[in-house]
Amino acid sequence: MKLLEPGTIGTMATRNRIVMCPMGTVGLSDLDGGTSRRVIDYYAARARGGIGLIITGATVVNASLEGGMAEKVSRLDSPKYISRLGELCDAVHHYGAKIAVQLSPGFGRVNAPPICGKIVSASRVPSFYDPRIEARELTLDEINLLLVSYATAAGMVKIAGGDAIEVHGYGGYLLDQFQTALWNKRTDKYGGNLDGRLRFSIELINAARSAVGSDFPILYKFNPVHGIPGGREIEEGLEICKRLEKAGVAALHIDFGCIEVQYKSLPTTYEPQACQIQCSEAVKKVVSIPVIAHGKLGDPQIAEAVLRQGKADFVALGRPLLADPEWVKKLRQGRTEDIRPCIGDMEGCINRAFSGLYLSCTVNAASGMEREYALQPAQQKKSVLVIGGGPGGLEAARVAALRGHDVQLWEKGAKLGGKLIPASVPSFKQDLRRLINYLSTQVTKVGVTIELMKEATPELVLQLNPDVAIVAIGATTWTPPIKGLDGNKKICCSIDLLTGKAKAGERVIVAGGGLVGCETAMYLAEQGKQVTIIEMMDRLVPEGIGNLSAKALFDRMGKSKIEVLTNTKLLEVAQSSASVIIDGKQRELEFDCMVHCLGFSPDSSLRDSLEGKVPELFAIGDCVKPRRIIHAMWEGFHTARLI
């Protein structure tokens, strides 16, 4: 495979063409921003898993100039960080991987005002997070200070044993604010035409080069297209790439978008595979240095096709390596069915990081806690019964069996997957299909005894007499006490619709504007149905999915013809019409089908009936409280990890 062929970036040789994307190690670093033992364990796990090159998350070279987020991420603005960074470089090298440290001059207008009193930028432009606040233009002395800081940091990377540096020049961050006419209004030598706007970038490269020498690779992360009005378009982006090559960068790491459309830069489950590849393909045609592509390339077949078709020289994986640190190792061994897939839900990674929690992963609870949550053989082998074959139950069964327990799994349906099955039906939720396949494959491989079409009763469980019972039977559809909602053959729940038990007519009302309602409406709209969402709140409320996923969802919905009626209360349902109150006025809405997506209720009946009758009894997932996939997966993992 071309993915597994050795690669070269400048003077740096890599054992394959697979790169780990830079992702901020929020919550993992030491309190002073230095490399912690957890960070070393985190990167070492990916190096041990076979990655060719690791690029660290953005490391700030001068935290004092702007403060705020610069003081919350990794730092390299003092010699005190060298030793700890050196330990990281050694750990990565021990497993045969190379490491590049991404160095950032700062955040600029995308710094966070609540924790930063010094918003700075290339020019006086509005803060991204609070447009009422205007960024202060950096002075020439401050620019010179950043150049000195950058050179110093680059030199420290080399001293610590790093193999390369990557310039943080993308996404609307500080350096990109200088590069872009939309944000750079300067009238001095750092503004104006493209020569002026690129001056800081070129000087930064030269400053780093002066510190590391001519044979030390400098990579550059860059987005040729911003994807917003007034932002950079591809023609200028390609010209900048050619100039960066001329300036001596060893490789271009190509991204798409900027922070205004960050759900495009960090693609969610709603984006297709290889969604950014058009950018790297265009850059590849105008430069001769290696091009690194990324953007939902976690499917090995797709990643391989990108290289074979000449659209890039290397592929970079970010969140797929959070999901499975051994992605490369499993590919090399021909075990692609064992690769745990990223599902693009953002819950364990981006949403946690934005909330101030440590970086992790929905489908890999040990990500970021590699040492603490490493699975250990069970001290005492136990008989474990897992009841329910949804994501929580499957993860619990997998982990318990891996630890050496004797595990049975009972599922009352004909297939494994639980509510992942209906959730994965829409074309834009194929990432969940991969998770179902992975979990189903793994429980079989680790020796779990699986019984389908077997509904657990208290009598059957007590007859089996397990040492441990883990109840993961999920939740049931909640039907509110609205007249006419029960017994109408034209009304169904979302699960019945998505699993084919119910059919929709041409005119469909979706009752409920939560996440299930929004996704169900999109699914129907893509089939050409005339869809109306009714929601009591004054806005759609896709609960718990985070800002980026919500933006991606609404962007996709906005391209459909879905009618959205908020501030709308459902009063009563007749055979083919619904009585609603919209902004205080009663209306009749006709339909051929109504899909109610009004929530779920936890099913605690089995757990309650077994309480005190089984030596060890646990309940996980939606049968405790209807929530997200991450809660089911993590509860399944940790319950099985500790029994």
Side-chain angles (χ1 to χ4, degrees):
M1 296 184 74
K2 200 163 184 65
L3 282 167
L4 300 176
E5 292 178 0
T8 303
I9 296 176
T11 58
M12 177 176 60
T14 62
R15 59 183 169 183
N16 55 53
R17 295 174 179 268
I18 308 168
V19 177
M20 180 177 181
C21 282
M23 293 176 284
T25 50
V26 174
L28 301 181
S29 299
D30 284 336
L31 293 179
D32 66 351
T35 304
S36 67
R37 173 50 53 185
R38 284 175 66 191
V39 168
I40 294 171
D41 293 340
Y42 164 79
Y43 284 122
R46 278 76 195 169
R48 184 170 59 248
I51 203 75
L53 169 65
I54 290 172
I55 305 176
T56 71
T59 301
V60 173
V61 303
N62 187 315
S64 63
L65 186 59
E66 58 178 333
M69 287 300 298
E71 296 174 347
K72 304 294 182 182
V73 300
S74 298
R75 295 168 61 175
L76 192 55
D77 54 1
S78 165
K80 71 179 183 179
Y81 297 112
I82 295 177
S83 178
R84 284 174 282 173
L85 179 59
E87 290 182 50
L88 169 60
C89 295
D90 288 345
V92 168
H93 291 154
H94 292 161
Y95 291 109
K98 299 295 174 66
I99 184 167
V101 178
Q102 187 185 74
L103 296 179
S104 174
F107 290 84
R109 65 178 286 271
V110 303
N111 211 329
I115 58 173
C116 177
K118 300 179 281 187
I119 299 291
V120 300
S121 183
S123 304
R124 295 177 63 87
V125 291
S127 161
F128 168 72
Y129 290 106
D130 188 350
R132 297 171 299 177
I133 299 174
E134 189 174 62
R136 175 179 63 78
E137 181 176 291
L138 284 168
T139 67
L140 293 178
D141 286 343
E142 288 170 333
I143 292 172
N144 286 331
L145 174 61
L146 283 175
L147 292 172
V148 172
S149 298
Y150 208 89
T152 303
M156 287 191 283
V157 171
K158 186 173 183 179
I159 292 171
D163 301 290
I165 64 167
E166 179 174 85
V167 179
H168 184 248
Y170 83 110
Y173 291 92
L174 180 59
L175 188 55
D176 198 29
Q177 291 161 37
F178 275 85
Q179 296 169 157
T180 308
L182 179 63
W183 302 305
N184 187 338
K185 312 296 182 183
R186 301 180 74 100
T187 57
D188 60 11
K189 65 180 181 178
Y190 290 103
N193 61 19
L194 190 57
D195 289 335
R197 286 185 278 118
L198 277 183
R199 186 180 301 276
F200 187 30
S201 302
I202 303 302
E203 289 182 351
L204 211 63
I205 294 168
N206 292 337
R209 179 64 66 205
S210 69
V212 299
S214 60
D215 61 347
F216 194 80
I218 298 176
L219 291 64
Y220 202 102
K221 192 173 185 190
F222 177 70
N223 14 17
V225 180
H226 282 134
I228 59 171
R232 183 163 47 247
E233 300 294 344
I234 189 64
E235 292 79 11
E236 182 177 85
L238 295 178
E239 175 60 26
I240 292 175
C241 288
K242 290 188 283 187
R243 295 190 185 200
L244 292 173
E245 178 181 20
K246 186 177 180 181
V249 302
L252 287 165
H253 185 177
I254 299 302
D255 201 344
F256 173 85
C258 59
I259 200 164
E260 274 80 358
V261 286
Q262 199 170 22
Y263 63 91
K264 298 285 188 179
S265 301
L266 302 171
T268 70
T269 191
Y270 303 113
E271 301 296 324
Q273 299 291 308
C275 55
Q276 299 179 7
I277 205 63
Q278 71 278 5
C279 286
S280 64
E281 183 179 14
V283 172
K284 187 81 172 68
K285 294 176 180 178
V286 300
V287 300
S288 58
I289 55 178
V291 173
I292 305 169
H294 74 222
K296 293 198 79 167
L297 297 176
D299 184 321
Q301 290 185 335
I302 292 174
E304 176 71 11
V306 165
L307 297 187
R308 289 201 173 276
Q309 293 168 9
K311 296 178 180 179
D313 301 286
F314 292 78
V315 297
L317 306 177
R319 287 168 292 159
L321 292 176
L322 296 180
D324 198 331
E326 296 187 333
W327 194 99
V328 181
K329 177 181 178 180
K330 292 173 181 177
L331 174 66
R332 189 173 63 244
Q333 294 175 346
R335 298 190 294 121
T336 55
E337 75 279 4
D338 294 335
I339 293 177
R340 183 166 32 212
C342 169
I343 61 174
D345 69 339
M346 303 285 195
E347 297 292 335
C349 50
I350 306 301
N351 293 354
R352 284 179 58 84
F354 282 179
S355 300
L357 301 171
Y358 71 86
L359 182 76
S360 191
C361 177
T362 291
V363 300
N364 179 14
S367 187
M369 297 285 278
E370 281 73 17
R371 185 183 299 259
E372 294 84 349
Y373 293 164
L375 297 181
Q376 303 296 332
Q379 293 183 356
Q380 177 185 351
K381 185 175 182 178
K382 299 177 181 179
S383 60
V384 179
L385 173 63
V386 178
I387 305 167
L394 288 169
E395 179 70 348
R398 182 188 74 86
V399 173
L402 278 174
R403 295 187 58 231
H405 293 302
D406 183 5
V407 184
Q408 292 189 47
L409 186 149
W410 293 354
E411 164 55 44
K412 70 177 181 179
K415 298 179 180 178
L416 296 174
K419 287 188 174 60
L420 289 180
I421 296 173
S424 67
V425 169
S427 62
F428 49 84
K429 297 298 289 289
Q430 291 187 17
D431 291 339
L432 293 186
R433 298 179 196 177
R434 285 184 276 273
L435 180 59
I436 295 172
N437 292 338
Y438 166 79
L439 290 171
S440 301
T441 298
Q442 297 312 303
V443 291
T444 300
K445 283 195 169 188
V446 296
V448 175
T449 300
I450 299 167
E451 292 195 55
L452 300 176
M453 303 297 291
K454 183 161 185 176
E455 184 169 2
T457 64
E459 294 75 20
L460 286 174
V461 174
L462 294 177
Q463 182 179 340
L464 182 68
N465 192 29
D467 297 319
V468 181
I470 301 174
V471 181
I473 59 176
T476 58
T477 300
W478 176 70
T479 302
I482 296 174
K483 185 178 179 181
L485 206 54
D486 268 338
N488 189 330
K489 293 183 179 180
K490 291 188 176 182
I491 300 176
C492 65
C493 67
S494 58
I495 292 176
D496 286 347
L497 176 76
L498 292 167
T499 54
K501 295 179 182 178
K503 302 294 182 183
E506 293 306 308
R507 297 173 303 169
V508 186
I509 290 178
V510 175
L515 179 61
V516 174
C518 290
E519 292 187 344
T520 302
M522 284 199 300
Y523 168 71
L524 291 165
E526 290 186 355
Q527 297 177 37
K529 308 295 185 182
Q530 180 184 326
V531 184
T532 300
I533 298 177
I534 58 174
E535 167 57 46
M536 287 182 61
M537 303 286 285
D538 60 359
R539 65 192 187 283
L540 297 178
V541 284
E543 63 286 341
I545 65 171
N547 186 46
L548 295 187
S549 292
K551 286 183 176 180
L553 173 65
F554 292 148
D555 180 63
R556 190 179 186 98
M557 291 181 68
K559 296 173 183 176
S560 69
K561 296 181 180 179
I562 298 171
E563 181 184 21
V564 178
L565 301 178
T566 53
N567 290 313
T568 301
K569 183 178 180 180
L570 180 61
L571 296 177
E572 184 178 344
V573 182
Q575 182 64 22
S576 300
S577 65
S579 296
V580 299
I581 291 181
I582 305 176
D583 294 327
K585 297 180 180 180
Q586 188 165 339
R587 281 181 55 185
E588 298 295 319
L589 303 177
E590 295 186 351
F591 60 79
D592 298 318
C593 172
M594 175 182 284
V595 185
H596 73 79
C597 307
L598 299 170
F600 297 91
S601 296
D603 186 352
S604 61
S605 56
L606 183 61
R607 177 196 61 186
D608 294 344
S609 65
L610 293 173
E611 192 71 53
K613 300 175 182 178
V614 178
E616 295 183 63
L617 177 66
F618 303 92
I620 63 173
D622 286 358
C623 72
V624 177
K625 179 181 178 182
R627 290 158 295 162
R628 307 284 292 142
I629 295 173
I630 187 172
H631 301 108
M633 294 285 291
W634 282 33
E635 288 170 12
F637 175 87
H638 288 300
T639 299
R641 180 177 68 87
L642 297 172
I643 58 176

